[in-house]
Amino acid sequence: MGFDQYHEPAQELSAETRTFARMCANLTEEAEAIGWYEQRMSLEKDPESVAIMEDSLAEEFKHFSMDLEFLLRRKPKWRSIARGTLFQDGDIVANGGAAEAAAAAGSSPEAPDAGSGPPGPVGPDSSLGIGSLREDFA
C-alpha cells in the first residue's frame, strides 16, 4: 500500500488526522484478512490446518474490533450511529437509518428493538463493549 492512504498532502494534515488515516487503513487491512481466512477455511480439508487458521482469524477479528473502537472513540457522531446499529435486534438497515437520523438531530439513538434504555455516555473512556466478545472468539 505504501503511503497512498492520504488523499491530501500529508505534510498539510495534522498528526491527529494522519493517525486517524492510519487506523482506517488498519481497519481495512484487518477486514481483508478476515475475508481471506474465511475463504481459505471454507476450502481447506485438513482439520489441523483449519484450527490454526481459526486461531489466526480470531486474532484478526480482535484487531479489527480494536481498530474500530479506536476510531469510534474519536468520532462521537460515528459512535452514536454505531450504538444504535450494532448488537441490536430487528432490521439492520432500519436501525442504522434511525441511528443516523438521531445523530443528525443531535440526540442519542435508541434502536427500535433495543429495549435496554438509552445508550450510555460517549467519550474517550466509554466502550461499545466489543472487548466483551473476547470470550466468544477465544
Side-chain angles (χ1 to χ4, degrees):
M1 178 187 212
F3 296 101
D4 63 348
Q5 75 255 32
Y6 303 120
H7 298 283
E8 298 294 332
Q11 67 276 12
E12 295 180 28
L13 299 173
S14 69
E16 180 180 321
T17 298
R18 290 191 311 271
T19 295
F20 194 84
R22 288 182 196 112
M23 293 305 291
C24 286
N26 279 1
L27 185 73
T28 300
E29 291 164 3
E30 298 299 344
E32 288 175 346
I34 290 167
W36 296 333
Y37 278 115
E38 288 289 341
Q39 291 175 44
R40 291 172 190 154
M41 290 171 9
S42 74
L43 298 176
E44 182 56 53
K45 304 294 186 225
D46 183 282
E48 187 175 26
S49 176
V50 171
I52 292 167
M53 285 188 265
E54 285 176 342
D55 184 72
S56 297
L57 175 62
E59 284 293 310
E60 301 297 348
F61 190 77
K62 177 186 76 173
H63 297 154
F64 176 89
S65 298
M66 291 166 44
D67 291 342
L68 180 60
E69 181 71 19
F70 178 93
L71 294 168
L72 293 176
R73 286 183 181 189
R74 280 149 181 80
K75 297 291 183 180
K77 188 173 181 179
W78 288 15
R79 188 175 196 80
S80 178
I81 294 168
R83 282 188 185 278
T85 306
L86 298 173
F87 309 110
Q88 305 296 331
D89 293 329
D91 184 273
I92 295 169
V93 175
N95 288 347
E100 184 178 31
S107 62
S108 295
E110 176 70 28
D113 298 316
S116 62
V122 175
D125 296 327
S126 62
S127 171
L128 288 175
I130 290 174
S132 67
L133 292 175
R134 183 175 303 164
E135 299 84 38
D136 294 339
F137 292 97

